[in-house]
Amino acid sequence: MLRWLVSAFFLALPIGTTIGVLLGIQAINRANGKPPPFTGGEDTGGLPGLGPLRGKDTVVMKCDVSEGIASRTKDGLEFSLTANPWGWKQGEPGNICLMANLNGNRTYATKWSAPAFNVTWQYPRASGTNNVHAFPNAKVMNKKFPVQAGSVKKLDFDVSWHLSLKNDSLTEVTGADVTTNAINANVAVDMFLDTDSTKAGKPESASHEVMVWFANFGTDTFPIGKASVADKGLKTKTLNGTDFYLYYGQNQVTKQKVLSWVASKPTNTFKGSLRPLLDEIFASNNADYPTKTDYLGYFAFGQEAYSSTKNVTFSVPELSVDLETS
Ligand SMILES: *[C@@H]1O[C@H](CO)[C@@H](O)[C@H](O)[C@H]1NC(C)=O
Ligand SMILES: *[C@@H]1O[C@H](CO)[C@@H](O)[C@H](O)[C@H]1NC(C)=O
Ligand SMILES: *[C@@H]1O[C@H](CO)[C@@H](O)[C@H](O)[C@H]1NC(C)=O
Ligand SMILES: *[C@@H]1O[C@H](CO)[C@@H](O)[C@H](O)[C@H]1NC(C)=O
Ligand SMILES: *[C@@H]1O[C@H](CO)[C@@H](O)[C@H](O)[C@H]1NC(C)=O
């Protein structure tokens, strides 16, 4: 699902939606493929787990803003990292800070890797329609976007993430932590497609959204089209030992058609191709689903932050997206 980001440049429509089925999106300039300005070296503000700064361009931080941090890689795939608190206004309770390590040399694990990053946030639980506060994410700034979906030959996705209440990011939250602290969040890849190549790059206007959920915490997160907690979806696809269930539904507000592949259990590490998930959708020959001739214009990985009564840290030490076209 998607929501517009209200900004000075973009007039958002007033949208309401079903509880628990909202997804944040990027600022419009990022949706349009413009890399955000690079900034770095702010005061760390005593954030948990943050050691001494190792140079102005090494550890960068952005708090409570949608402005992004560009990975500014020398010869690899560019990413734009943003805290993106689109469902929060200055003065309201809650906070979010995104930190990334640009390694000083802006060279990362592989040509397709994002800088290691993490996001520390907390927001009160909101009832009703506006219950998502932020969608911190890393967006792929592939110069080839938009690409025709059928021409994507390789979509290798490698990720390792943690969700932790501790300042070392190594201790994963437990079910009891989730309940005690009203943690509601998911972890997902978000893609947008459209027959029109321009619209495909714009989450607010694309006809289709395809998501891959690696986890969801709390009861507020619910993929569109999932009928009940026991609902195992329309199809199952097993990738790298993880079962993904497919759900389909239409966003009642935006009318976007949304397909969500949801991991059957929290999947903290994944290494493999996401192409079979797209292929399965194309092979369905369903008039409501996207097709191979549609354009893929947007690919991001992040966390929808609904609520947590304590600072929780979503960290992504490893993320690489190798998307190659024919
Ligand atoms: C983070 O954890 C370490 C080790 O447990 C502790 O020494 C340190 O004070 C903590 N820092 C903050 C900001 O909580
Ligand atoms: C967040 O990332 C920064 C930059 O790499 C790092 O210094 C810090 O220790 C990380 N914090 C946590 C909680 O993982
Ligand atoms: C919670 O995280 C924010 C950054 O998002 C930080 O400014 C604040 O000091 C943290 N609070 C505690 C109690 O650790
Ligand atoms: C870039 O910096 C990182 C972190 O200091 C280091 O591990 C890596 O080897 C460096 N890479 C190059 C190509 O200099
Ligand atoms: C699953 O992951 C392993 C490495 O953990 C990798 O070698 C393999 O290619 C992956 N499988 C698929 C289907 O991508």
Side-chain angles (χ1 to χ4, degrees), residues 202-214:
K202 299 180 178 176
E204 70 279 10
S205 48
S207 59
H208 289 87
E209 178 173 23
V210 177
M211 303 186 79
V212 184
W213 293 34
F214 293 91

Side-chain angles (χ1 to χ4, degrees), residues 48-50 59 99 101 118 167 169 313:
L50 184 65
V59 174
M99 278 189 274
N101 193 341
N118 58 50
N167 78 15
S169 86
T313 300

Side-chain angles (χ1 to χ4, degrees), residues 55-255:
K56 193 166 168 60
D57 285 346
T58 296
V59 174
V60 289
M61 181 167 81
K62 284 278 172 199
C63 296
D64 301 327
V65 292
S66 290
E67 197 187 337
I69 294 169
S71 58
R72 286 265 176 114
T73 181
K74 280 181 187 149
D75 57 358
L77 177 64
E78 186 88 13
F79 285 83
S80 168
L81 313 175
T82 166
N84 192 16
W86 60 265
W88 175 91
K89 284 191 223 55
Q90 201 72 43
E92 289 177 358
N95 54 259
I96 186 165
C97 280
L98 181 140
M99 278 189 274
N101 193 341
L102 303 186
N103 276 352
N105 57 23
R106 295 174 196 174
T107 303
Y108 310 110
T110 70
K111 255 179 86 173
W112 304 280
S113 298
F117 72 98
N118 58 50
V119 189
T120 298
W121 59 271
Q122 66 177 299
Y123 292 107
R125 191 174 184 185
S127 59
T129 54
N130 295 323
N131 56 356
V132 177
H133 291 96
F135 178 52
N137 70 87
K139 183 194 165 190
V140 167
M141 306 298 287
N142 193 316
K143 290 185 185 72
K144 287 187 182 157
F145 278 169
V147 293
Q148 224 163 13
S151 74
V152 174
K153 292 295 164 235
K154 204 172 181 189
L155 186 48
D156 289 355
F157 186 73
D158 191 346
V159 74
S160 160
W161 60 267
H162 306 279
L163 189 65
S164 178
L165 288 164
K166 299 281 191 300
N167 78 15
D168 59 4
S169 86
L170 296 174
T171 320
E172 300 296 337
V173 292
T174 63
D177 290 337
V178 168
T179 309
T180 309
N181 302 291
I183 296 173
N184 285 286
N186 67 9
V187 176
V189 159
D190 200 11
M191 293 177 265
F192 287 92
L193 296 102
D194 199 289
T195 48
D196 178 308
S197 63
T198 307
K199 286 184 180 171
K202 299 180 178 176
E204 70 279 10
S205 48
S207 59
H208 289 87
E209 178 173 23
V210 177
M211 303 186 79
V212 184
W213 293 34
F214 293 91
N216 50 305
F217 301 91
T219 51
D220 291 357
T221 57
F222 222 69
I224 291 184
K226 183 168 173 171
S228 66
V229 174
D231 182 0
K232 290 193 170 181
L234 305 162
K235 273 183 180 172
T236 302
K237 189 92 194 160
T238 308
L239 293 183
N240 262 93
T242 303
D243 289 339
F244 289 91
Y245 301 145
L246 179 66
Y247 299 94
Y248 169 78
Q250 193 167 19
N251 179 326
Q252 288 312 306
V253 178
T254 66
K255 302 298 173 206

Side-chain angles (χ1 to χ4, degrees), residues 240 271-273:
N240 262 93
K271 196 179 176 66
S273 175

